[in-house]
Amino acid sequence: MVEPIYHPNLSKLLLGIEFISALIAFIYFPKIKHTYWKWFAIYLMFVCFQEYFWKFQTFFSLPIRKGYFTFLGIPIQLLFFYWLYARKSLKNNKLFYVFISIYLLTYIPFGIFFKEIDAIYSINLTIGTILLIVLIVLEFIKQIKNDDILKFKENKMFYINLGIILFYVGCYPFHSFYLELLKAPYTHLWNMYYLYFLIANCIMYLLFTASLIWGKHQS
């Protein structure tokens, strides 16, 4: 029987990269505090604090940790990206409100019919990712239409979009079939996807850091 492999060293590397991204966000905050990009810096610092807190805290049980990420930690991150993509980059307020409404409303039926927190987490993350994929496509179309893609080195959204594609889109099957992949005889597939999950997460936060360093603050 194949056992899940959790790659503790790679997990530590991810924590280190998240810390670096939060540190760069803190350093660059004075330069972007008068733009909406200050919220991106706050987002990076929030994620770092969140990950370190739940990694090293000794007060709360595992079910409480899962509940936090299911009903607060992950939703905050997804709702932030809906705001960044739809409202700020695409400048479509209606799309923003429709997407956050769809995402938040999914918690009602799934909270009633699914009692396992892992099932709710997996299903809502799957739906949240589908909505994010739509925004990714719209953002990519926007960049092609106005030639932003030619200035990708100065375009913050280029780095962010690439990171989101690698992690959220790349991990879509992992999130969708998380519980099924943990069962034999698919555990080896879970191990492969989890390794990709960690690597893509590291790359995503490196790209987020690059967006702060190389991207124009008004982009």
Side-chain angles (χ1 to χ4, degrees):
M1 180 179 176
V2 179
E3 295 292 333
I5 302 174
Y6 294 101
H7 305 284
N9 291 331
L10 198 53
S11 297
K12 292 178 182 177
L13 176 62
L14 174 58
L15 283 175
I17 292 174
E18 288 173 340
F19 175 79
I20 292 172
S21 69
L23 179 61
I24 296 298
F26 179 78
I27 293 172
Y28 273 80
F29 188 83
K31 297 181 180 180
I32 59 178
K33 65 180 180 180
H34 298 301
T35 73
Y36 67 83
W37 287 108
K38 67 183 177 183
W39 297 110
F40 182 58
I42 292 173
Y43 162 83
L44 292 175
M45 290 185 278
F46 165 76
V47 169
C48 179
F49 173 80
Q50 170 182 264
E51 295 297 329
Y52 272 80
F53 175 81
W54 288 104
K55 177 69 176 179
F56 298 108
Q57 66 82 28
T58 58
F59 306 103
F60 303 109
S61 62
L62 182 59
I64 294 178
R65 181 184 186 277
K66 289 183 177 180
Y68 168 81
F69 278 100
T70 300
F71 296 103
L72 190 61
I74 297 301
I76 286 176
Q77 296 180 59
L78 286 172
L79 292 175
F80 169 78
F81 284 122
Y82 297 160
W83 171 83
L84 181 63
Y85 273 86
R87 192 164 191 180
K88 291 302 178 181
S89 184
L90 299 173
K91 302 186 185 306
N92 191 327
N93 289 338
K94 182 178 180 180
L95 185 65
F96 168 67
Y97 289 118
V98 168
F99 273 38
I100 63 171
S101 297
I102 293 173
Y103 177 70
L104 292 177
L105 286 173
T106 61
Y107 276 91
I108 297 176
F110 293 128
I112 295 174
F113 295 108
F114 294 93
K115 301 305 180 183
E116 290 292 333
I117 196 73
D118 287 336
I120 299 174
Y121 174 86
S122 179
I123 293 170
N124 285 102
L125 186 53
T126 299
I127 294 173
T129 302
I130 291 174
L131 296 174
L132 194 54
I133 290 173
V134 175
L135 294 174
I136 290 170
V137 173
L138 293 176
E139 173 65 25
F140 187 70
I141 292 173
K142 172 204 164 187
Q143 291 185 16
I144 293 176
K145 282 186 175 181
N146 62 11
D147 294 330
D148 280 352
I149 197 71
L150 300 177
K151 303 176 183 178
F152 68 92
K153 289 184 179 180
E154 301 175 346
N155 185 358
K156 287 182 181 294
M157 286 304 297
F158 172 81
Y159 298 101
I160 293 172
N161 213 36
L162 183 57
I164 295 294
I165 290 172
L166 288 173
F167 180 69
Y168 282 95
V169 179
C171 292
Y172 176 77
F174 182 64
H175 294 145
S176 299
F177 304 104
Y178 185 90
L179 296 177
E180 288 75 14
L181 292 174
L182 268 176
K183 302 173 184 177
Y186 306 112
T187 314
H188 67 287
L189 292 176
W190 187 95
N191 288 333
M192 293 172 59
Y193 268 120
Y194 186 68
L195 178 61
Y196 176 83
F197 168 88
L198 291 172
I199 294 173
N201 215 351
C202 289
I203 296 174
M204 180 177 71
Y205 281 99
L206 288 174
L207 287 168
F208 287 174
T209 304
S211 74
L212 287 172
I213 298 173
W214 293 315
K216 283 187 176 181
H217 304 320
Q218 67 270 27
S219 65

